[in-house]
Amino acid sequence: MSEKDLSSLLKQLHTTLSTHDYTKSTTLLSKAKLALLQLNALIPSSQTPQHTLALARETLELGALVSIRLQYPSSFTRYFQQLQPFYDLPETSLPRKDSQKSKITGLYLLLLLSQGDYAGFHTLLESLEVGEDGGKGLEGDKFVQYPVKLEQWLMEGSYDRVWGATKSERAPSEEYGVFSEVASLLPTTHTVLIGTIRSEIASCSEKAYPSLPISNAKNLLFLDSEGSVVEFAHARGWVVRDGRIYFPMQQGQDLRTEKEILVASEQVIENTIGYARELETIV
């Protein structure tokens, strides 16, 4: 298969992405990767022509984007790893023009965050900061800054900000919206982008209150129905009785002063007040 044939396949791939015809996308990707093998371009080398390198990079980038849209994180990770030798090439060997490195890297950071891999997240971020140009431009990179801001807000406990930012219309591209549009890209995605918010607030609530009305817990935990609250409560070992949730007694909880309970309560209120305001605008 010639470079001309590969270029034609890539044009068709772009079309299938825009029309969301992912079944055809995967078929075209298989043909494109076979073409790369025939052109000996799956791994860059000094003998590979610059135009061929650009086609190979484009193929792998499209494969990564298709994988995200199909919710295949392991496939996306493989494409990301295959792309690194291309991204490491100097500008003279492979110009960065038309590259989707920024988008792909931001998506991988978001995936690491979704998997709770904070070590991997910060390792990659540090490599970007010490990379070429000393990381200049990262602050203005919307694709990289999106997961960076999410991670910062998660660490601060600003769950209402995370909740708002993960709405698909606020995502920097359609692929980023996948993380918020579906219940889970994989079980761990739900754990961080939504589930971690819920889990953290649940932990604070256990320490702040002896019990809560189910209706209040529904708003605090970002759940859609009181039935979902009951299911969540049972999963955490909470007792549900007479329209209230009773949290298990923490060790030494009976010795806490009223002031200590109020301080813990304020943490829950502070982290969710923004979401409550957002609910008012929706209602």
Side-chain angles (χ1 to χ4, degrees), residues 128-149:
L128 296 174
E129 291 172 346
V130 300
E132 190 169 338
D133 298 327
K136 293 179 180 178
L138 284 184
E139 291 186 3
D141 189 329
K142 64 179 181 179
F143 295 115
V144 172
Q145 284 303 307
Y146 183 75
V148 168
K149 290 296 185 183

Side-chain angles (χ1 to χ4, degrees), residues 24-205:
K24 190 172 182 179
S25 295
T26 53
T27 301
L28 291 170
L29 264 176
S30 297
K31 293 180 180 179
K33 287 188 289 185
L34 179 60
L36 290 182
L37 279 173
Q38 294 172 346
L39 293 169
N40 196 28
L42 264 179
I43 299 175
S45 70
S46 57
Q47 288 77 38
T48 309
Q50 187 179 97
H51 184 257
T52 305
L53 288 173
L55 290 174
R57 181 184 63 192
E58 184 180 359
T59 301
L60 296 176
E61 288 178 336
L62 288 172
L65 297 179
V66 169
S67 297
I68 281 293
R69 294 194 188 192
L70 288 174
Q71 304 161 40
Y72 296 157
S74 58
S75 175
F76 171 78
T77 298
R78 286 194 296 272
Y79 278 113
F80 177 80
Q81 292 169 343
Q82 287 179 294
L83 280 164
Q84 297 317 296
F86 292 90
Y87 291 157
D88 290 339
L89 290 172
E91 180 77 13
T92 53
S93 299
L94 182 59
R96 291 171 180 76
K97 181 183 178 182
D98 300 326
S99 171
Q100 299 197 66
K101 177 182 178 180
S102 179
K103 179 189 283 189
I104 302 294
T105 302
L107 283 168
Y108 188 63
L109 282 168
L110 186 56
L111 183 61
L112 291 173
L113 184 63
S114 301
Q115 294 173 333
D117 186 356
Y118 293 103
F121 180 93
H122 286 285
T123 297
L124 176 56
L125 190 58
E126 288 171 9
S127 71
L128 296 174
E129 291 172 346
V130 300
E132 190 169 338
D133 298 327
K136 293 179 180 178
L138 284 184
E139 291 186 3
D141 189 329
K142 64 179 181 179
F143 295 115
V144 172
Q145 284 303 307
Y146 183 75
V148 168
K149 290 296 185 183
L150 288 181
E151 193 269 346
Q152 289 176 351
W153 292 332
L154 281 170
M155 295 301 100
E156 293 170 0
S158 301
Y159 307 120
D160 58 299
R161 287 188 172 186
V162 180
W163 180 264
T166 54
K167 294 182 181 299
S168 58
E169 67 270 16
R170 300 185 187 180
S173 76
E174 184 175 352
E175 291 80 17
Y176 286 73
V178 171
F179 285 81
S180 55
E181 288 174 352
V182 294
S184 59
L185 184 58
L186 70 168
T188 49
T189 301
H190 184 63
T191 298
V192 170
L193 296 187
I194 297 176
T196 289
I197 303 172
R198 190 168 291 139
S199 179
E200 292 291 339
I201 292 175
S203 296
C204 290
S205 299

